[in-house]
Amino acid sequence: MKMECVFGFVGNGFAVVAADTSAVHSILVHKSNEDKIMVLDSHKLIAASGESGDRVQFTEYIQKNVALYQFRNGIPLTTAAAANFTRGELATALRKNPYFVNILLAGYDKETGPSLYYIDYIATLHKVDKGAFGYGSYFSLSMMDRHYHSGMTVEEAIDLVDKCIMEIRSRLVVAPPNFVIKIVDKDGARQYAWRESVKDAAVASA
Amino acid sequence: MSIFEYNGSALVSMVGKNCFAIASDRRLGVQLQTIATDFQRISKIHDRVFLGLSGLATDAQTLYQRLVFRHKLYQLREERDMKPETFANLVSALLYEKRELAKDFVVAGTASESLYGACESMFKEDMEPEELFETVSQALLSSVDRDCLSGWGGHVYVVTPTEVKERILKGRMD
């Protein structure tokens, strides 16, 4: 659970999150292009790290409930509301059948602009400007502490994301090779780029 | 690893002359790592009741939500705010604990031992709001500076019959 790298921060009118793309089981890397950042709705991203079964199940559950709210009420949830709903689900399950999933929830609301919420697996919720999970956080948080300032442009932000990825790749012994970067702003949530240093081997044709 | 030391916290509250003060640190950590330096541990229930929750942050958040829910229901039924003694009874019932009504000060959190010492030596009866603010702030800052799991500034509320003064303290940021 600590081997998965997720980090993100808020810029000028946008929020950016990055996650590694390795699906690992013990010493085996199942796949190296697993997308761990789910598009929750048009203007929200949920970057999740943790036990892979829980990660997919829990984030899909949140995604479907967010969609249901929009169908029932005709308007989408705000980022804060979605974050609090997510925390509520984690908190309810915590002392029965906990989900081992850490989440960074990034969103853009017309009224309040971009926001980022840190939600760890024991349902601690906090609104942050920058956040990270896993072993990678020891490096990405320090890089962000050094280089982050409020109101960064997209170019500056991607530069900082790349700095963090470089640091993780060079200093973490179990560094994941590939990352995906997604961004959310007034135009919506979308994939920005991949950072690949290892590509899956091509499958031989029959 | 105790769940009371997982996130780190420091809380102190003092009674003055017709006023009270409640203060907390601002660190949110995950064991040795600091996640945020602007975490709010003290919440206003209503104008005369402030609630500070130390310990595991997720449980503090859940408990706070449950208590606000119960208080809002009370407000709807009774058309008034809960008295502090009543609210204290509600909290102690939820925690299965007998509450103690302190006449001087109360402390909580990972820095509680330091806080006990600091408060015991600095506290005086019937302090005016300004002196109370100074005393609470000094007690908090000196105690959290000896505890690696709490600190990164302070949050102090001084409540008098007429107003509530909220102040942020700048302390050692380490």
Side-chain angles (χ1 to χ4, degrees):
Chain A
M1 189 163 128
K2 285 201 95 177
M3 314 236 273
E4 307 198 350
C5 303
V6 173
F7 62 93
F9 54 91
V10 176
N12 187 18
F14 67 92
V16 62
V17 282
D20 77 286
T21 58
S22 305
V24 169
H25 213 112
S26 174
I27 57 165
L28 176 68
V29 179
H30 278 298
K31 62 190 292 219
S32 45
N33 59 355
E34 169 84 358
D35 188 354
K36 297 177 190 172
I37 306 180
M38 175 179 278
V39 173
L40 205 61
D41 73 8
S42 63
H43 286 75
K44 287 179 202 47
L45 289 170
I46 195 163
S49 78
E51 223 175 271
S52 40
D54 282 349
R55 174 171 49 78
V56 174
Q57 289 291 82
F58 183 72
T59 52
E60 272 184 12
Y61 172 71
I62 298 297
Q63 187 190 54
K64 301 317 171 201
N65 272 282
V66 167
L68 183 62
Y69 180 94
Q70 187 161 355
F71 284 132
R72 279 186 177 150
N73 299 287
I75 51 162
L77 277 170
T78 60
T79 312
N84 274 290
F85 171 69
T86 306
R87 185 208 107 82
E89 292 303 305
L90 284 168
T92 309
L94 179 63
R95 288 191 162 87
K96 294 176 190 158
N97 189 11
Y99 296 104
F100 290 98
V101 192
N102 296 312
I103 283 164
L104 279 177
L105 204 157
Y108 184 91
D109 304 302
K110 222 161 42 159
E111 299 82 18
T112 49
S115 52
L116 182 65
Y117 288 87
Y118 170 102
I119 311 168
D120 75 3
Y121 74 102
I122 51 170
T124 310
L125 171 70
H126 194 53
K127 185 171 184 296
V128 292
D129 284 334
K130 50 182 165 4
F133 286 108
Y135 283 133
S137 69
Y138 292 118
F139 308 103
S140 50
L141 274 177
S142 300
M143 287 308 271
M144 291 190 284
D145 282 340
R146 172 67 182 86
H147 295 291
Y148 174 87
H149 56 87
S150 61
M152 291 174 88
T153 63
V154 178
E155 291 72 34
E156 287 175 318
I158 298 301
D159 192 54
L160 177 53
V161 168
D162 281 329
K163 280 196 171 77
C164 294
I165 293 174
M166 282 297 118
E167 201 63 23
I168 292 170
R169 273 192 186 145
S170 57
R171 291 298 185 181
L172 186 58
V173 64
V174 284
N178 300 340
F179 285 81
V180 66
I181 306 171
K182 295 199 183 178
I183 195 166
V184 59
D185 61 14
K186 63 174 177 19
D187 299 322
R190 60 194 178 279
Q191 184 174 294
Y192 184 89
W194 281 75
R195 297 284 186 252
E196 288 178 305
S197 60
V198 163
K199 275 193 158 61
D200 273 337
V203 177
S205 53
Chain B
M1 185 262 302
S2 155
I3 57 169
F4 291 105
E5 286 154 21
Y6 186 74
N7 294 123
S9 55
L11 274 178
V12 59
S13 180
M14 280 188 185
V15 173
K17 192 174 172 69
N18 225 13
C19 63
F20 70 88
I22 180 166
S24 75
D25 73 319
R26 305 186 78 203
R27 179 181 179 269
L28 175 70
V30 171
Q31 293 181 295
L32 57 91
Q33 193 179 45
T34 300
I35 299 300
T37 56
D38 58 357
F39 191 66
Q40 282 263 45
R41 285 204 162 79
I42 300 171
S43 321
K44 187 168 106 158
I45 302 293
H46 65 75
D47 280 336
R48 294 285 172 269
V49 174
F50 283 74
L51 179 70
L53 293 166
S54 70
L56 197 62
T58 177
D59 286 344
Q61 286 173 335
T62 303
L63 194 63
Y64 165 71
Q65 286 171 347
R66 291 216 183 127
L67 288 164
V68 162
F69 163 69
R70 296 287 295 267
H71 183 251
K72 282 186 176 170
L73 218 51
Y74 183 95
Q75 277 178 324
L76 285 169
R77 288 191 183 127
E78 300 269 329
E79 290 176 15
R80 62 185 178 92
D81 290 334
M82 251 191 209
K83 279 201 287 227
E85 304 85 59
T86 317
F87 189 76
N89 256 320
L90 173 61
V91 176
S92 67
L94 266 173
L95 294 173
Y96 307 120
E97 242 172 58
K98 191 173 181 301
R99 71 181 162 96
E100 285 136 31
L101 207 59
K103 292 184 190 76
D104 42 18
F105 56 83
V106 180
V107 304
T110 47
S112 57
E113 278 146 8
S114 298
L115 281 165
Y116 271 125
C119 290
E120 202 67 67
S121 55
M122 295 185 201
F123 180 80
K124 289 197 319 269
E125 296 249 321
D126 290 332
M127 281 187 275
E128 295 293 331
E130 280 312 310
E131 196 190 354
L132 187 66
F133 165 69
E134 283 301 326
T135 309
V136 155
S137 306
Q138 292 300 334
L140 178 72
L141 287 178
S142 60
S143 305
V144 301
D145 284 348
R146 284 292 181 183
D147 175 25
C148 56
L149 295 176
S150 57
W152 286 93
H155 224 122
V156 188
Y157 293 84
V158 181
V159 185
T160 59
T162 45
E163 58 160 3
V164 173
K165 255 218 181 96
E166 178 186 346
R167 277 174 273 220
I168 308 271
L169 299 175
K170 186 149 199 275
R172 279 184 64 113
M173 304 301 211
D174 64 2

